[in-house]
């Protein structure tokens, strides 16, 4: 089961409240709170699309740049020893540390 959906580059979560009998979610990876809900899947998707469209329209109206999630840059904290080993490995294989990390993540994502 997939617990996310995507629209115009934004990824939204999909949750269910048994108590309320509603599906709900929020756009992930940005600071702005964009939430949506629906009593069934079609309503949830429509409200998600509407919430993203409203957010983009508000940004345009206010002449502000919409937040974009997953820009391709992030900080990773690892032990100094692993950092050293990764740099040595990357250098020995004529690659940058960024390439090593990207390749490793790509392999992990496609394997699982």
């Amino acid at each position: 089961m997939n617990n996310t959906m995507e629209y115009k580059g934004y990824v939204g979560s999909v949750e269910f409240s048994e108590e309320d009998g509603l599906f709900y979610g929020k756009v992930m990876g940005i600071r702005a709170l964009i939430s949506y809900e629906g009593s069934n899947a079609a309503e949830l998707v429509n409200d998600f699309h509407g919430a993203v469209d409203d957010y983009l329209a508000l940004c345009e109206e206010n002449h502000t740049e919409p937040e974009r999630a997953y820009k391709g840059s992030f900080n990773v904290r690892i032990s100094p020893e692993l950092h050293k080993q990764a740099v040595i490995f990357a250098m020995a294989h004529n690659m940058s540390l960024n390439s090593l990390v990207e390749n490793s993540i790509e392999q992990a994502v496609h394997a699982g």
Side-chain angles (χ1 to χ4, degrees), residues 7-100:
Y7 178 66
K8 294 187 176 179
Y10 292 92
V11 177
S13 64
V14 176
E15 305 286 336
F16 179 71
S17 169
E18 185 176 2
E19 181 180 320
D20 298 323
L22 284 175
F23 292 96
Y24 65 96
K26 67 178 184 173
V27 172
M28 302 182 313
I30 63 174
R31 290 181 308 240
L33 176 58
I34 304 172
S35 60
Y36 42 88
E37 64 180 43
S39 59
N40 58 49
E43 285 183 13
L44 181 71
V45 170
N46 286 338
D47 203 42
F48 170 55
H49 290 188
V52 169
D53 288 340
D54 288 348
Y55 170 68
L56 294 173
L58 182 64
C59 288
E60 186 175 332
E61 185 179 302
N62 292 332
H63 305 291
T64 59
E65 191 68 29
E67 287 184 71
R68 294 285 175 195
Y70 317 115
K71 298 173 189 130
S73 175
F74 63 96
N75 292 324
V76 178
R77 289 175 184 79
I78 59 176
S79 72
E81 182 59 29
L82 182 57
H83 187 176
K84 179 177 92 175
Q85 291 172 356
V87 169
I88 292 168
F89 180 90
M91 288 175 55
H93 291 85
N94 293 319
M95 62 184 357
S96 68
L97 184 57
N98 280 342
S99 294
L100 173 64

